[in-house]
């Protein structure tokens, strides 16, 4: 009997661990690329030789369905944000477990996403779809105070602006409409939303037949400095028995149901406001930022293993999915904030970081000799530092130490005017 085949749509280096997990389970893994050109955020060397086939979608669904059908796949999984809609189309056409296409737009378009959960009776942000400065400024004046302006279909906090005045909002919209997303898409409109005050959390899940497994829950740390508002600087894995967990996970399951996410991984960002949990956005795919790796360090499990179980062994998934994860070690991830642009000479204090008691690893996105830009979102960060320890206090202390070290002295940068 031949090995089962699994299709991953938009598998790139950031999601290769999922491909490897399916391969380790005895599957042939077929890669489907949803765009003819590789989007900006994924460009770089990528060895696809381990995949049993590498299919490029050239805009004709019937052709791609036919190419994939030859592999008799048992599952089609979105391995990246941009591949969500094509994964829905392929899975529906092939008759394998699918979230279907009816709500696909609401799983990518952030305005439709919020309106869909509102229609289901869930707490949702007040918002407006805008394409002109006049529309946006009117909404800002009506809402009052601070608002958020962001692209409709991007990721990694790309283009997200927290705006205090209508004039700030108009400038943010201008930047969005004149730019492209991290997926190289042109922006024709944006969504303006009320500013949600409260702690921001991540709830990562895997689903099978509408039954949802919460695999890990994180709380973000943020900072604001001149020119950078609400920059996410770290994530902290939340214990299974944390009082806040049940409120977040109950709401997350309702969001998944409202958006028709019945199969596969999902990544939800939720703010716990004074009125209860409120969705920021959800990706109908696995979490990025190497989150599964860090979840496994803390709890010994992650979205990766549960996704494999959901598609290959649904009976085992359904028998165990309600068992909460338990922390074996406390985990935090720190994403330092580069304050200036230029050519990176070195990280002078990196040896101090590596000497921290809970230090586990460093992911270097910009190496010495590379170009640093001022960090304003997830796509412009330079490093990720993982901290792991049995003691929560040790991890908290070391995270605070790292944020103290971060700043101009953490980077030796040759600025353009120096060269």
């Amino acid at each position: 009997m031949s090995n089962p085949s699994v299709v991953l749509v938009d598998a790139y280096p950031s999601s290769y661990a999922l491909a490897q997990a399916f391969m380790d389970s005895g599957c042939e893994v077929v890669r489907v690329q949803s765009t003819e050109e590789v989007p900006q955020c994924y460009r770089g060397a990528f060895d696809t030789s381990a995949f049993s086939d590498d299919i490029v979608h050239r805009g004709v669904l019937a052709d791609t369905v036919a190419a994939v059908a030859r592999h008799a796949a048992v599952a089609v999984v979105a391995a990246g944000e941009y591949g969500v809609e094509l994964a829905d189309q392929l899975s529906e056409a092939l008759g394998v477990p699918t979230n279907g296409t009816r709500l696909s737009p609401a799983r990518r378009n952030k305005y439709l996403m919020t309106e869909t959960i509102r229609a289901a009776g869930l707490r949702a942000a007040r918002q407006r779809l805008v394409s002109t400065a006049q529309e946006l400024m009117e909404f800002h004046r009506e809402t009052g105070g601070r608002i958020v302006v962001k692209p409709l279909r991007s990721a990694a906090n790309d283009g997200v602006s927290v705006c205090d005045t209508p004039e700030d909002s108009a400038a943010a919209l201008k930047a969005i409409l004149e730019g492209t997303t991290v997926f190289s898409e042109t922006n024709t409109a944006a969504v303006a939303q009320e500013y949600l005050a409260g702690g921001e959390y991540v709830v990562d899940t895997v689903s099978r037949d509408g039954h949802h497994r919460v695999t890990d829950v994180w709380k973000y740390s943020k900072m604001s400095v001149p020119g950078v508002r609400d920059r996410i600087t770290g994530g902290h894995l939340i214990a299974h028995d944390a009082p806040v967990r049940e409120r977040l996970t109950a709401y997350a399951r309702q969001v998944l149901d409202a958006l028709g996410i019945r199969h596969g991984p999902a990544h939800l960002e939720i703010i716990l406001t004074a009125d209860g949990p409120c969705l920021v956005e959800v990706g109908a795919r696995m979490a990025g930022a190497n989150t599964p790796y860090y979840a496994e360090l803390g709890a010994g499990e992650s979205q990766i293993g549960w996704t494999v179980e959901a598609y290959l062994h649904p009976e085992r998934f359904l028998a165990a999915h309600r068992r909460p994860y338990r922390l074996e070690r406390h985990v935090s991830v720190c994403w330092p904030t580069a304050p200036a642009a230029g050519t990176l000479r070195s990280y002078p204090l990196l040896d101090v970081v590596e000497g921290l008691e809970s230090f586990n690893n460093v992911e270097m996105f910009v190496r010495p000799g590379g170009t640093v830009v001022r960090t304003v979102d997830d796509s412009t960060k330079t490093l990720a530092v993982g901290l792991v320890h049995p003691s929560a206090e040790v991890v908290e202390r070391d995270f605070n130490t790292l944020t103290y070290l971060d700043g101009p002295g953490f980077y030796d940068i040759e600025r353009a005017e120096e060269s």
Side-chain angles (χ1 to χ4, degrees), residues 271-288:
I271 289 181
L272 188 56
T273 72
D275 299 323
C278 188
L279 184 71
V280 177
E281 59 191 60
V282 55
R285 40 75 184 172
M286 197 171 67

Side-chain angles (χ1 to χ4, degrees), residues 284-297:
R285 40 75 184 172
M286 197 171 67
N290 212 12
T291 301
Y293 167 80
Y294 294 109
E296 289 184 13
L297 286 178

Side-chain angles (χ1 to χ4, degrees), residues 33-115:
Q33 185 172 302
S34 68
T35 55
E36 293 192 57
E37 297 294 326
V38 176
Q40 174 188 346
C41 60
Y42 295 132
R43 288 174 190 164
F46 181 35
D47 181 6
T48 60
S49 61
F51 296 102
S52 60
D53 199 357
D54 191 11
I55 300 167
V56 177
H57 176 60
R58 303 189 185 280
V60 181
L61 180 62
D63 291 348
T64 305
V65 169
V68 172
R70 290 195 290 268
H71 295 277
V74 299
V76 177
V77 186
E81 176 69 21
Y82 203 72
V84 166
E85 289 158 307
L86 182 58
D88 289 341
Q89 292 174 320
L90 292 174
S91 57
E92 186 175 77
L94 294 167
V96 297
T98 182
N99 291 325
T101 56
R102 185 177 68 86
L103 289 173
S104 274
R107 293 192 281 268
R108 283 294 328 280
N109 181 302
K110 295 173 185 178
Y111 175 80
L112 293 177
M113 182 182 296
T114 296
E115 291 306 303

Side-chain angles (χ1 to χ4, degrees), residues 74-78 84 87-88 91-92 95-100 107 205-213 256-257 259-267 283-286 303 306-307 309-312 314 317-318:
V74 299
V76 177
V77 186
V84 166
D88 289 341
S91 57
E92 186 175 77
V96 297
T98 182
N99 291 325
R107 293 192 281 268
T205 64
V206 176
S207 303
R208 174 73 197 207
D209 297 319
H211 298 277
H212 311 301
R213 164 69 181 181
L256 295 173
D257 290 340
L259 293 171
I261 300 175
R262 294 177 49 79
H263 297 279
H267 172 73
R285 40 75 184 172
M286 197 171 67
Q303 281 183 305
W306 281 100
T307 299
E309 284 287 278
Y311 285 106
L312 300 186
F317 176 93
L318 294 172

Side-chain angles (χ1 to χ4, degrees), residues 381-392:
K381 61 192 178 190
T382 60
L383 294 172
V385 178
L387 305 172
V388 183
H389 199 274
S391 167

Side-chain angles (χ1 to χ4, degrees), residues 100-419:
T101 56
R102 185 177 68 86
L103 289 173
S104 274
R107 293 192 281 268
R108 283 294 328 280
N109 181 302
K110 295 173 185 178
Y111 175 80
L112 293 177
M113 182 182 296
T114 296
E115 291 306 303
T116 299
I117 69 165
R118 192 193 319 281
L122 301 181
R123 167 78 163 94
R126 181 182 176 190
Q127 64 172 3
R128 185 171 297 174
L129 181 67
V130 295
S131 57
T132 68
Q134 181 178 351
E135 292 173 313
L136 177 54
M137 293 173 76
E138 287 176 357
F139 173 79
H140 197 148
R141 293 188 184 102
E142 291 170 7
T143 304
R146 183 177 295 167
I147 71 167
V148 177
V149 182
K150 57 188 176 183
L152 292 176
R153 290 169 51 89
S154 197
N157 302 118
D158 166 51
V160 177
S161 295
V162 178
C163 305
D164 287 323
T165 68
E167 292 73 25
D168 291 342
S169 296
L173 177 62
K174 182 174 186 292
I176 289 171
L177 296 180
E178 290 179 351
T180 57
T181 71
V182 293
F183 302 117
S184 304
E185 278 190 314
T186 300
N187 294 305
T188 58
V191 59
Q193 296 179 334
E194 64 172 306
Y195 179 82
L196 298 170
E200 185 168 355
Y201 295 81
V202 166
V203 179
D204 291 326
T205 64
V206 176
S207 303
R208 174 73 197 207
D209 297 319
H211 298 277
H212 311 301
R213 164 69 181 181
V214 174
T215 60
D216 43 295
V217 180
W218 301 78
K219 186 177 191 301
Y220 282 149
S221 289
K222 296 183 180 182
M223 59 169 270
S224 290
V225 296
V228 183
R229 176 70 60 77
D230 282 7
R231 149 86 179 137
I232 297 171
T233 57
H236 313 277
L237 187 59
I238 299 297
H240 70 281
D241 56 355
V244 73
R245 185 180 182 277
E246 186 53 41
R247 295 183 71 192
L248 292 166
T249 58
Y251 175 80
R253 290 186 176 97
Q254 292 177 308
V255 169
L256 295 173
D257 290 340
L259 293 171
I261 300 175
R262 294 177 49 79
H263 297 279
H267 172 73
L268 300 94
E269 294 178 334
I270 298 168
I271 289 181
L272 188 56
T273 72
D275 299 323
C278 188
L279 184 71
V280 177
E281 59 191 60
V282 55
R285 40 75 184 172
M286 197 171 67
N290 212 12
T291 301
Y293 167 80
Y294 294 109
E296 289 184 13
L297 286 178
E301 57 184 82
S302 74
Q303 281 183 305
I304 292 176
W306 281 100
T307 299
V308 172
E309 284 287 278
Y311 285 106
L312 300 186
H313 307 288
E315 70 291 340
R316 294 199 319 220
F317 176 93
L318 294 172
H321 76 284
R322 289 194 176 277
R323 170 185 56 79
Y325 70 83
R326 293 184 178 273
L327 287 195
E328 299 168 357
R329 295 183 291 178
H330 296 273
V331 178
S332 288
V333 187
C334 183
W335 299 295
T337 304
T343 300
L344 181 69
R345 296 189 185 103
S346 68
Y347 296 102
L349 301 177
L350 195 55
D351 59 335
V352 179
V353 173
E354 292 172 345
L356 295 173
E357 186 176 352
S358 65
F359 174 81
N360 177 266
N361 71 304
V362 59
E363 298 176 76
M364 200 172 291
F365 309 120
V366 180
R367 297 182 177 277
T371 300
V372 174
V373 297
R374 189 176 187 219
T375 304
V376 295
D377 56 24
D378 290 351
S379 64
T380 53
K381 61 192 178 190
T382 60
L383 294 172
V385 178
L387 305 172
V388 183
H389 199 274
S391 167
E393 287 71 25
V394 169
V395 172
E396 181 181 14
R397 180 201 65 200
D398 289 353
F399 184 89
N400 291 336
T401 300
L402 209 163
T403 55
Y404 171 80
L405 295 172
D406 187 27
F410 195 73
Y411 311 85
D412 183 1
I413 296 174
E414 179 184 351
R415 304 198 187 192
E417 60 269 20
E418 297 177 16
S419 57

